[in-house]
Amino acid sequence: DAKTTQPPSMDCAEGRAANLPCNHSTISGNEYVYWYRQIHSQGPQYIIHGLKNNETNEMASLIITEDRKSSTLILPHATLRDTAVYYCIVRGMNRDDKIIFGKGTRLHILP
Amino acid sequence: DAGVIQSPRHEVTEMGQEVTLRCKPISGHNSLFWYRQTMMRGLELLIYFNNNVPIDDSGMPEDRFSAKMPNASFSTLKIQPSEPRDSAVYFCASRRQGNTEAFFGQGTRLTVV
């Protein structure tokens, strides 16, 4: 079972920052927070991941609370191409750790 | 790198027929995953392999489903006999051991009529 909770859908105006929340209150100390997205009819695409520090790459920023029970994915300047389902996933780093997807958040970018 | 390659992209078959889906992972990746996606159930992990060995097949729905990975560059997911409820998009993904991100193929859309 997925160990995360996300809102089913969100809207964001084009050009604004999209902030996608995720709750993972049962996360354990050696588990990372990952974000993937799935654009319609395509396979999921990796975005970013983190353990406890905030992370940033060319696609997004990840803010993890100090208690690590929740996180926020930030798309700084959303475009229409960012319309997708965004999945927050918790998994460990062991060789056999599975990648389990929940229902995700359907993000609509509005022109 | 061509990424994870799945074939066929689309498959339409009649109920009762055998269906074989194929996946070529990214060269050098040690882990391979098979997922199924439907509107009702979302993305479900069916089975995954590490170094060609099946690690967890608890997501395989029933005995009609089987998966093999005869070598590091090829895997198959077979459904025999197929049923209409098997209609879904099937994704394959691979990941390098020690690397953290998984790369997904474009999927195979299976329709069983």
Side-chain angles (χ1 to χ4, degrees):
Chain A
D1 289 339
K3 301 171 70 172
T4 62
T5 303
Q6 299 177 252
S9 67
M10 293 182 62
D11 293 337
C12 179
E14 188 178 19
R16 304 298 293 270
N19 297 279
L20 292 93
C22 179
N23 286 324
H24 31 80
S25 58
T26 61
I27 193 170
S28 58
N30 66 344
E31 289 182 318
Y32 286 69
V33 180
Y34 286 74
W35 285 83
Y36 285 77
R37 75 178 181 183
Q38 187 175 23
I39 296 171
H40 182 62
S41 298
Q42 299 182 19
Q45 175 192 25
Y46 166 83
I47 300 173
I48 198 168
H49 76 281
L51 182 62
K52 55 182 178 181
N53 297 321
N54 298 336
E55 302 287 344
T56 295
N57 63 19
E58 65 279 4
M59 291 182 68
S61 295
L62 174 60
I63 308 298
I64 303 174
T65 59
E66 191 169 345
D67 63 8
R68 302 209 322 123
K69 293 185 177 182
S70 65
S71 60
T72 301
L73 179 75
I74 301 173
L75 308 178
H77 305 286
T79 71
L80 296 178
R81 287 177 293 181
D82 293 321
T83 293
V85 178
Y86 288 77
Y87 298 96
C88 171
I89 297 164
V90 165
R91 64 171 285 256
M93 288 302 292
N94 291 333
R95 194 173 73 109
D96 296 340
D97 280 326
K98 300 186 283 191
I99 305 172
I100 304 297
F101 288 82
K103 297 187 183 302
T105 295
R106 186 172 296 275
L107 177 65
H108 300 275
I109 305 300
L110 307 175
Chain B
D1 195 328
V4 176
I5 300 173
Q6 293 187 243
S7 64
R9 289 294 310 276
H10 302 274
E11 176 81 31
V12 180
T13 191
E14 292 185 346
M15 181 174 62
Q17 295 297 307
E18 177 180 295
V19 175
T20 299
L21 311 181
R22 297 173 174 79
C23 176
K24 177 178 169 54
I26 293 174
S27 177
H29 283 193
N30 306 90
S31 298
L32 183 139
F33 305 82
W34 280 102
Y35 289 86
R36 177 174 68 176
Q37 187 170 35
T38 61
M39 288 291 292
M40 291 294 293
R41 301 174 68 89
L43 264 167
E44 301 174 278
L45 177 64
L46 300 178
I47 185 171
Y48 73 101
F49 297 82
N50 274 338
N51 296 317
N52 312 337
V53 176
I55 301 301
D56 187 338
D57 65 355
S58 60
M60 296 286 264
E62 48 197 275
D63 292 344
R64 297 184 297 107
F65 286 68
S66 62
K68 294 182 180 179
M69 192 164 185
N71 57 62
S73 60
F74 185 65
S75 177
T76 59
L77 178 67
K78 184 177 294 186
I79 308 173
Q80 167 63 19
S82 58
E83 297 183 1
R85 59 192 169 123
D86 302 330
S87 298
V89 181
Y90 291 81
F91 288 104
C92 175
S94 71
R95 178 171 62 91
R96 189 189 304 274
Q97 189 173 352
N99 197 339
T100 56
E101 61 192 274
F103 293 82
F104 283 76
Q106 290 299 300
T108 295
R109 181 174 296 276
L110 173 65
T111 303
V112 183
V113 298

